[in-house]
């Protein structure tokens, strides 16, 4: 998908994140950064695909 595309949608169910619209189950950011967990290189999605844009609502 093109960087300039206005059709990008990021689904998210992380209710504790400040950018999550819980009613729509959508991230309200225009883009996110995806990071691996520190020190992980297992090749497993749960280790290698952490949202680096996460910010706690609290």
């Amino acid at each position: 998908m093109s960087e300039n595309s206005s059709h990008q949608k990021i689904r998210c169910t992380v209710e504790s994140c400040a950018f999550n619209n819980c009613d729509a189950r959508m991230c309200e950011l225009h883009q996110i950064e995806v990071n691996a967990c520190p020190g992980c290189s297992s090749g497993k999605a749960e280790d290698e695909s952490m949202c680096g844009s996460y910010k706690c609502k609290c």
Side-chain angles (χ1 to χ4, degrees):
M1 185 173 286
S2 161
E3 184 177 321
N4 295 326
S5 175
S6 62
H7 302 289
Q8 178 78 31
K9 292 187 176 154
I10 304 166
R11 300 268 182 210
C12 182
T13 59
V14 181
E15 294 183 11
S16 65
C17 184
F19 304 115
N20 187 335
N21 177 331
C22 293
D23 294 330
R25 297 176 66 146
M26 299 288 290
C27 178
E28 294 185 334
L29 292 172
H30 294 284
Q31 66 181 22
I32 64 168
E33 182 176 333
V34 177
N35 299 326
C37 294
C40 291
S41 59
S42 68
K44 295 179 182 176
E46 61 269 18
D47 294 337
E48 307 269 355
S49 57
M50 180 174 89
C51 181
S53 302
Y54 173 85
K55 181 178 177 185
C56 185
K57 283 183 181 178
C58 41

